[in-house]
Amino acid sequence: MTRHILGLSGGKDSTALAILMHKEVPQMEYFFCDTGKELAETYEYLERIKARLGIKIKYLNSERDFDHFLMLHGGHLPSPKIRWCTEEMKIKPLERFVGNDETISYIGIRADEIRDGYISRKPNIHPVYPFKERNLVKADIIRILDESGIGMPDYYRWRSRSGCFFCFFQRKYEWVMLSEEHPDLFAQAVEYEMSEAKSKGTGYTWTQGETLLEIIARKDQIIADHEKAIAREKKTSPKLSLAEVLESVLDDEDDEMPCLACHL
């Protein structure tokens, strides 16, 4: 018997895909790869999804969090060049969850996106892309979320992607807002960064060329520049939602593609 699975990240695209598919594929298995370093808003959003759709979500990794794998990797933090976090905490748990069963994996890449659909290279896991097949774009995803009553996760007020609170793909404005919204989590991110630099002598920083404390030292300028960019984008594209405006502005700052398994 073929299994049908859909991974939720706590982001808008995978959520919209779950909304789209849950009646069409009643045997769907939903899962969330829990790093133990998620925002509280992410867990709240997953609870909202479960309640609205009447589904169960299997949480993977509950017994082994980020710090466990950090120790296994000799205390070396992940980076855009060495993404051990995605491999250890997203892909491998998915493959253990599936085992050798023939499986169809539903992936929320939109028709207006150009990016790699890689999740797993196991031959028994077969990816499908319902948004692409139906030519659904970002505006459709937002409509699906609104019509379902689930809406967007709360962190989309200041952050355009799901994932760990210290994800190295965050833009500088998002780091500033993490310090405002969750000062305790920001302090943990600083501690990780300083520990890596001190123990390994690498000069490692979560964001290229600047430590988190250096970013915060000029946070007023970062916020001011961001607000000017938001105002320009609103004027240029008045029909965009606030979440779309934020995403567009942050993408202009840094459009490097994050890990697919983390941010759909």
Side-chain angles (χ1 to χ4, degrees), residues 121-146:
R121 292 193 176 96
K122 286 193 70 174
N124 59 305
I125 301 178
H126 310 284
V128 295
Y129 308 95
F131 292 156
K132 284 186 173 291
E133 293 168 2
R134 303 174 194 212
N135 200 34
L136 298 181
V137 299
K138 187 186 296 184
D140 296 305
I141 273 56
I142 292 173
R143 173 183 53 78
I144 290 169
L145 292 171
D146 287 343

Side-chain angles (χ1 to χ4, degrees), residues 32-38 43 57-69 88-90 93-94 96:
F32 171 68
C33 293
D34 191 354
T35 65
K37 299 297 179 181
E38 314 289 337
Y43 297 113
I57 301 174
K58 174 72 172 178
Y59 286 66
L60 309 182
N61 279 348
S62 58
E63 73 285 357
R64 289 178 287 189
D65 66 5
F66 177 85
D67 291 324
H68 169 82
F69 290 105
E88 297 284 7
M89 307 200 69
K90 302 290 182 174
L94 161 64
R96 286 194 296 270

Side-chain angles (χ1 to χ4, degrees), residues 171 233 247-255:
R171 293 76 155 213
E233 185 66 20
E247 186 173 9
S248 178
V249 167
L250 291 175
D251 282 347
D252 285 342
E253 177 184 331
D254 177 9
D255 62 357

Side-chain angles (χ1 to χ4, degrees), residues 82-140:
I82 306 175
R83 305 181 191 183
W84 61 254
C85 48
T86 302
E87 180 71 20
E88 297 284 7
M89 307 200 69
K90 302 290 182 174
I91 296 173
K92 287 183 179 179
L94 161 64
E95 292 177 343
R96 286 194 296 270
F97 174 58
V98 169
N100 294 319
D101 298 336
E102 283 295 312
T103 301
I104 297 175
S105 177
Y106 294 75
I107 299 173
I109 298 180
R110 305 188 308 266
D112 56 349
E113 291 183 294
I114 302 175
R115 56 166 152 172
D116 186 5
Y118 167 70
I119 292 288
S120 170
R121 292 193 176 96
K122 286 193 70 174
N124 59 305
I125 301 178
H126 310 284
V128 295
Y129 308 95
F131 292 156
K132 284 186 173 291
E133 293 168 2
R134 303 174 194 212
N135 200 34
L136 298 181
V137 299
K138 187 186 296 184
D140 296 305

Side-chain angles (χ1 to χ4, degrees), residues 140-160:
D140 296 305
I141 273 56
I142 292 173
R143 173 183 53 78
I144 290 169
L145 292 171
D146 287 343
E147 290 178 355
S148 72
I150 293 176
M152 295 278 204
D154 183 61
Y155 64 75
Y156 270 53
R157 292 182 294 104
W158 54 275
R159 194 180 200 233
S160 70

